[in-house]
Amino acid sequence: MNEKNMDRVADIIVIGAGASGMMAAISAALFWKENHIKNKKIFLIDKNDRAGKKLLATGNGRCNLTNLKQGPGCYMTCGTESAAISGILSGFSPEDVIDFFKTNGMLTCDRGNYIYPKSMQAQTVADTLVRICESLNITVILNECISSIRYLASGFYRLLSGQGKEYTTKSLVLSTGSPASVKQDYNGYRLAETFGHSVISPLPALCGLKADFGGVAGTGDGKVFFKQTAGVRCEASAQAVVNGICVSKEQGELQITDYGLSGIVIFCLSRHISRGLFEKKPSAIWLDFLQDMPEPEIISYLYEENGRNLTLHQALSGLLNSKLAKGLITLLSGKYNGISIHTPVSRIKPVVLEALISKIKHFEVVISGTNEMERAQVCCGGVNLSELKADSLESRILPGLYLCGELLDVDGICGGYNLQWAWSSGHRAGVEAARRFCNEDTLKQKTERQDG
């Protein structure tokens, strides 16, 4: 149909053709199909030149669809509505996601509970969703940014685009995503606020953390340490400490960079540090580089190395990444009687060796900031869940308004959890937006029978 002559009235309009938005539109269309409701229109509107654009970058281009290992600690909210998250997730589970794509011609593969498209290409996921939209006659409108929305006394929503086009609908789904990993765009939050919804400040999450070089392991040589050890990847346990209190613990791969800390273990802790810094609370990461060995065992091992006439660097390199071992010794050398990488273990006093190992087991990095929003994978914060009906994601402020995906105050850890939230919340919002028409049609038919 020629866009110039397009009828701009739809039964449901979904703003945002990302993962949650496409799932919302598809779920609404499938609900109508299953309930034999015909002649309904769905518009899916997006400001980008293609649907699912952000999907293409997920999982380093492989698109980690979901994760079979689910638990309460996998999803977080700044508010108090954590129970609502579980209810939404149970309605469209990881197994449902796998079945959905399989039914629609896309197989998946399991990589230790991490679920990917069998093609290992995010493009396959985006293409599959677009194809489903086409098969269900969902009208996808691209390069269209909605600048304002009004709720009319008649119960309809009137949308105005930046290009001056008007759209009208009775059910509206906001799934505009967050500004994470893209050019900053807070339009979705602004639209939600125009309806009276409150937004918990969106902050970078699943991102790297910048070190305060003057606050590393109680020394003033942090800049040299991070320069020497940049690029090191190792296993470590880490704690996020905000205002002197440990708020979360993780264990996994740590990556040291020239600016500070990165890697999966840091990504999973970053939302706590991000929020702490925003609230101007002292924030730090405490690391244990030898989490699988207690201090007495390490000391015993190093004493055994005395008989082999090894230097401290040679001995620690049997336990740690060699580059990391060198950096740690150099950083701590001034603090412990001038030890160096060349000092034989046999010449180090036991009290100094014990103090050195204690530092390696309790290594504090004071954090000065996070990576920029564009380099974060998701946001923490968003529209407050308490302002939505927990069973439908419908606004408690206005009828027929639904919100889903990253726009909401929900963020998951690394490993496919944020996409699972997108699928689950999009599915719920879409089904409930469509269900309104089912109820209306049923009531209309009942009234007609009574009148007849």
Side-chain angles (χ1 to χ4, degrees):
M1 182 182 296
N2 189 301
E3 184 177 332
K4 187 177 293 185
N5 301 316
M6 183 188 297
D7 180 3
R8 297 198 183 101
V9 178
D11 299 285
I12 295 176
I13 292 181
V14 180
I15 304 178
S20 62
M22 284 196 281
M23 181 58 76
I26 291 167
S27 298
L30 288 174
F31 180 85
W32 283 339
K33 186 176 181 180
E34 292 164 2
N35 287 276
H36 309 291
I37 299 176
K38 300 178 181 180
N39 303 318
K40 298 294 184 184
K41 287 184 181 180
I42 298 174
F43 288 174
L44 179 59
I45 303 176
D46 196 278
K47 62 183 177 61
N48 292 306
D49 58 359
R50 64 192 303 177
K53 191 168 185 177
K54 195 171 178 179
L55 264 174
L56 302 180
T58 58
N60 292 319
R62 298 183 301 167
C63 197
N64 186 181
L65 289 167
T66 185
N67 199 303
L68 295 177
K69 184 179 180 182
Q70 297 285 318
C74 299
Y75 302 88
M76 289 154 282
T77 175
C78 300
T80 58
E81 304 296 310
S82 56
I85 298 174
S86 298
I88 298 299
L89 292 166
S90 63
F92 198 69
S93 67
E95 291 77 14
D96 292 326
V97 172
I98 294 169
D99 289 343
F100 168 81
F101 281 105
K102 182 179 180 180
T103 299
N104 288 285
M106 192 197 87
L107 294 180
T108 58
C109 58
D110 184 344
R111 296 289 184 266
N113 290 325
Y114 293 71
I115 304 300
Y116 293 89
K118 195 168 182 62
S119 67
M120 298 301 283
Q121 290 183 303
Q123 184 70 59
T124 306
V125 182
D127 290 346
T128 299
L129 292 169
V130 170
R131 174 168 50 78
I132 300 169
C133 286
E134 291 174 348
S135 70
L136 293 169
N137 295 317
I138 295 168
T139 301
V140 180
I141 303 169
L142 302 174
N143 297 307
E144 190 85 293
C145 182
I146 300 301
S147 57
S148 65
I149 306 173
R150 288 178 56 203
Y151 181 67
L152 307 178
S154 59
F156 284 83
Y157 290 88
R158 180 167 294 164
L159 291 64
L160 181 66
S161 77
Q163 292 82 3
K165 297 173 184 175
E166 285 190 359
Y167 298 89
T168 304
T169 187
K170 198 166 187 179
S171 281
L172 178 63
V173 180
L174 287 182
S175 58
T176 51
S178 79
S181 78
V182 295
K183 184 178 180 181
Q184 294 198 26
D185 182 358
Y186 293 84
N187 191 45
Y189 303 121
R190 183 181 61 78
L191 292 175
E193 286 176 325
T194 63
F195 297 126
H197 281 286
S198 58
V199 176
I200 298 170
S201 297
L203 302 173
L206 297 190
C207 62
L209 301 175
K210 298 177 181 179
D212 176 352
F213 295 136
V216 178
T219 75
D221 301 318
K223 190 171 185 178
V224 174
F225 169 77
F226 284 103
K227 184 177 181 180
Q228 286 183 337
T229 57
V232 167
R233 293 176 182 267
C234 63
E235 290 291 311
S237 64
Q239 301 179 48
V241 179
V242 177
N243 221 19
I245 300 172
C246 175
V247 293
S248 186
K249 299 179 182 179
E250 292 288 341
Q251 185 172 320
E253 185 182 76
L254 170 75
Q255 181 180 351
I256 301 176
T257 70
D258 56 359
Y259 63 78
L261 303 172
S262 187
I264 292 177
V265 68
I266 296 301
F267 277 25
C268 290
L269 296 175
S270 60
R271 61 106 55 208
H272 302 285
I273 297 296
S274 192
R275 188 62 56 182
L277 292 171
F278 178 76
E279 296 172 355
K280 301 190 183 305
K281 297 176 180 177
S283 301
I285 295 291
W286 290 0
L287 296 169
D288 182 351
F289 290 110
L290 292 167
Q291 76 277 5
D292 57 344
M293 294 180 70
E295 290 180 39
E297 184 179 339
I298 300 170
I299 296 296
S300 176
Y301 165 79
L302 293 176
Y303 279 149
E304 291 175 6
E305 297 305 288
N306 287 343
R308 301 187 178 98
N309 296 316
L310 298 182
T311 66
L312 180 58
H313 180 237
Q314 289 170 335
L316 282 180
S317 292
L319 299 171
L320 297 167
N321 175 289
S322 178
K323 190 176 179 180
L324 175 60
K326 183 177 180 179
L328 288 168
I329 296 168
T330 302
L331 175 67
L332 300 171
S333 60
K335 193 175 181 69
Y336 297 108
N337 297 335
I339 58 172
S340 74
I341 59 174
H342 305 295
T343 305
V345 174
S346 59
R347 294 186 184 178
I348 302 175
K349 295 179 180 179
V351 65
V352 173
L353 190 60
E354 291 169 8
L356 177 67
I357 298 307
S358 179
K359 274 294 181 185
I360 293 174
K361 292 276 294 176
H362 306 87
F363 192 85
E364 181 182 16
V365 179
V366 176
I367 303 301
S368 62
T370 68
N371 274 346
E372 295 72 20
M373 187 71 83
E374 296 95 309
R375 298 175 64 187
Q377 292 186 13
V378 296
C379 283
C380 62
V383 176
N384 199 323
L385 285 178
S386 65
E387 297 170 357
L388 306 180
K389 297 176 183 178
D391 60 343
S392 65
L393 295 180
E394 183 179 14
S395 168
R396 294 183 182 276
I397 298 173
L398 287 176
L401 174 64
Y402 301 83
L403 297 90
C404 60
E406 281 189 65
L407 185 64
L408 302 180
D409 173 33
V410 179
D411 57 288
I413 60 174
C414 286
Y417 296 97
N418 288 287
L419 268 183
Q420 178 59 51
W421 171 250
W423 309 132
S424 296
S425 61
H427 174 77
R428 181 65 61 89
V431 166
E432 296 303 326
R435 195 190 302 277
R436 295 181 75 230
F437 293 89
C438 182
N439 295 338
E440 288 179 3
D441 280 8
T442 301
L443 180 61
K444 182 179 178 181
Q445 292 171 10
K446 183 178 178 181
T447 303
E448 289 174 347
R449 285 196 299 270
Q450 290 175 342
D451 292 343

